[in-house]
Amino acid sequence: MANLTRPIIEFWYEFASTYSYPAAMTINERAASKGIDVRWRPFLLGPIFFELGWTTSPFNLQPAKGKYMWRDLERTCTKLGLAFRRPDPFPQSSLLACRIALVLDSETQRQEFSRRVFNAEFSSGKQIDDPNILTALLQDMGCDAQEVLEKALAPANKEALKQTVNEAQSLGIFGAPMFITPDRELFWGYDRLDDALDWACRSSDRT
Amino acid sequence: MANLTRPIIEFWYEFASTYSYPAAMTINERAASKGIDVRWRPFLLGPIFFELGWTTSPFNLQPAKGKYMWRDLERTCTKLGLAFRRPDPFPQSSLLACRIALVLDSETQRQEFSRRVFNAEFSSGKQIDDPNILTALLQDMGCDAQEVLEKALAPANKEALKQTVNEAQSLGIFGAPMFITPDRELFWGYDRLDDALDWACRSSDRT
């Protein structure tokens, strides 16, 4: 019964987002150490950026900020002992990977698949818009890749992803990673993960 | 003689920048606890943003990001025990305050004046583009306010500020606060202050 009272934090991530990588690789362990469960919410930033008139990552639109981000991401990964390779091209097209992550049956599968995608992209330098790459990741997990891909590309799942992006916008999400506590506080960026977990613990204590 | 070997971190700040406020109010104490000295570098973000085609703060240009920032800044100030009042209008025009901070004779005066400006703006809700407000701050410090204002508005100081903005751009500065270590690593944002100080300590150990 104790498990029913554990706070749940929502982890909104985008496969093309650079700081979503260290978040994805560390969030479960850090949340578990504080007695918090994590619900992984894959979504797309592209449609949100597009409404601002941006057709690519802000890190490409602002070269000085982009240069800083790559250096900072490298420092962050070094600190965490995570392998890092700069994706080329950047950003990668994350649509297919996101549709697959969304359609997977269980939270466990979604998390496992998502970590494998981030690893393929930021550690192995693979192209995450390549169906063959994603098929191999699914097969490595023991999934029926063909069946998953068919469900991922079905109209119902495309609609589900649109709804998810709408939900993100209605929650006020403008970037990734975003952590949302049970009392709907938003924390943006990998460097706010611990703040978000601490907040979730405190707000859970108050209820 | 020991003082000669203390690492110096540069703290680049902009009076209109929201996260420069908690940085300004805490950096000296946190740096001192790690044996680091701080050199305060007032500059203007406006000309840098203008080159990106922005005519106001990105927090105004992106409403969802702006809404998040105000909430996050409020949380940050609460955590630090700092008073907080949202400046109106935002952003404040920081040109005159920046010219004064730049022209002051000593680092001690520059830091003291700058903290008073941040307090006036983010704690007392005062207009920092009002010469009377800035005059009062200088007088409270025991300065000859009239003399300082004249020097601040002299052509030599206007040129010095332009050179400072050029230096910021050549260093790759695109936002504030920015912390720069002796080995020229950039750390952006109040939430990276401790990372910057730790880096300065380690790089100093290596030399």
Side-chain angles (χ1 to χ4, degrees):
Chain A
M1 288 298 286
N3 215 31
L4 289 176
T5 65
R6 284 167 71 95
I8 297 174
I9 203 160
E10 289 201 345
F11 166 40
W12 288 74
Y13 60 101
E14 147 69 91
F15 287 114
S17 145
T18 52
Y19 290 105
S20 290
Y21 168 52
M25 305 316 276
T26 59
I27 189 170
N28 278 24
E29 195 178 339
R30 284 155 79 172
S33 75
K34 301 189 179 193
I36 297 170
D37 290 328
V38 187
R39 184 177 173 213
W40 288 44
R41 304 293 312 267
F43 78 114
L44 294 176
L45 272 174
I48 294 172
F49 286 171
F50 191 77
E51 285 191 7
L52 294 167
W54 303 347
T55 52
T56 182
S57 163
F59 295 124
N60 290 343
L61 295 171
Q62 299 175 57
K65 193 174 189 173
K67 187 182 171 195
Y68 170 82
M69 179 277 293
W70 291 116
R71 175 62 180 148
D72 186 59
L73 185 64
E74 188 186 13
R75 287 191 306 232
T76 301
C77 290
T78 300
K79 201 170 168 179
L80 295 170
L82 284 178
F84 171 67
R85 198 157 140 178
R86 183 170 165 168
D88 181 24
F90 173 80
Q92 297 270 303
S93 168
S94 53
L95 177 61
L96 182 57
C98 191
R99 281 181 174 155
I100 293 173
L102 195 66
V103 88
L104 284 168
D105 285 332
S106 73
E107 181 68 26
T108 309
Q109 277 189 325
R110 183 167 12 266
Q111 297 186 8
E112 181 60 31
F113 173 74
S114 298
R115 279 189 295 264
R116 285 172 189 254
V117 172
F118 279 116
N119 249 327
E121 181 183 10
F122 289 99
S123 163
S124 308
K126 290 185 179 160
Q127 308 295 314
I128 63 159
D129 62 345
D130 180 343
N132 293 326
I133 301 284
L134 299 177
T135 295
L137 297 183
L138 288 166
Q139 285 169 340
D140 288 347
M141 289 169 58
C143 291
D144 181 334
Q146 196 54 43
E147 189 191 320
V148 172
L149 275 169
E150 274 168 25
K151 281 167 65 184
L153 294 169
N157 192 51
K158 291 182 178 178
E159 182 57 29
L161 181 51
K162 279 186 200 158
Q163 290 304 321
T164 301
V165 173
N166 288 345
E167 185 184 351
Q169 285 186 293
S170 69
L171 287 166
I173 293 177
F174 55 88
M178 189 72 79
F179 313 106
I180 306 190
T181 65
D183 56 348
R184 300 280 120 186
E185 287 282 330
L186 272 62
F187 291 84
W188 175 48
Y190 167 72
D191 46 19
R192 293 303 172 89
L193 173 52
D194 286 324
D195 282 345
L197 295 173
D198 290 342
W199 189 282
C201 284
R202 285 199 305 275
S203 64
S204 161
D205 288 345
R206 285 196 294 269
T207 55
Chain B
M1 290 297 286
N3 216 31
L4 289 176
T5 64
R6 285 166 71 96
I8 296 174
I9 203 161
E10 290 201 344
F11 166 40
W12 288 74
Y13 59 101
E14 147 67 91
F15 287 114
S17 144
T18 52
Y19 290 105
S20 290
Y21 168 52
M25 305 317 276
T26 59
I27 188 169
N28 278 23
E29 194 178 339
R30 284 154 81 171
S33 75
K34 300 188 180 194
I36 297 170
D37 290 328
V38 186
R39 184 176 172 213
W40 288 43
R41 302 294 312 268
F43 78 113
L44 294 175
L45 271 175
I48 295 173
F49 285 171
F50 191 76
E51 286 192 7
L52 293 168
W54 304 347
T55 53
T56 182
S57 163
F59 295 125
N60 290 344
L61 295 170
Q62 299 174 57
K65 193 174 188 172
K67 186 182 172 196
Y68 170 82
M69 180 275 293
W70 291 116
R71 175 63 180 148
D72 186 60
L73 186 64
E74 188 186 13
R75 287 191 306 232
T76 301
C77 290
T78 300
K79 199 169 167 179
L80 295 169
L82 286 177
F84 171 67
R85 197 156 140 178
R86 182 171 165 167
D88 180 24
F90 173 81
Q92 297 270 303
S93 169
S94 53
L95 178 61
L96 182 57
C98 191
R99 282 181 173 154
I100 293 173
L102 195 66
V103 89
L104 284 167
D105 284 333
S106 72
E107 180 68 26
T108 308
Q109 278 190 324
R110 183 167 13 266
Q111 297 185 9
E112 182 60 31
F113 173 74
S114 298
R115 277 188 297 264
R116 285 172 190 256
V117 172
F118 279 116
N119 249 328
E121 181 183 10
F122 289 100
S123 164
S124 308
K126 290 185 179 158
Q127 307 296 312
I128 64 159
D129 61 346
D130 181 343
N132 294 326
I133 301 285
L134 299 177
T135 295
L137 297 184
L138 288 166
Q139 286 169 341
D140 288 347
M141 289 168 58
C143 291
D144 181 334
Q146 196 54 43
E147 189 191 322
V148 172
L149 274 169
E150 274 168 25
K151 282 168 65 184
L153 294 169
N157 191 51
K158 291 182 177 177
E159 182 57 29
L161 181 52
K162 278 185 200 158
Q163 291 303 322
T164 302
V165 173
N166 288 345
E167 185 184 351
Q169 284 186 293
S170 71
L171 287 167
I173 292 178
F174 55 89
M178 189 73 77
F179 313 105
I180 307 191
T181 65
D183 56 348
R184 299 280 119 186
E185 286 282 329
L186 273 62
F187 291 84
W188 174 48
Y190 166 72
D191 46 19
R192 294 303 173 88
L193 173 52
D194 286 324
D195 282 345
L197 295 173
D198 289 343
W199 189 281
C201 284
R202 284 198 305 275
S203 64
S204 161
D205 288 346
R206 285 195 294 269
T207 55

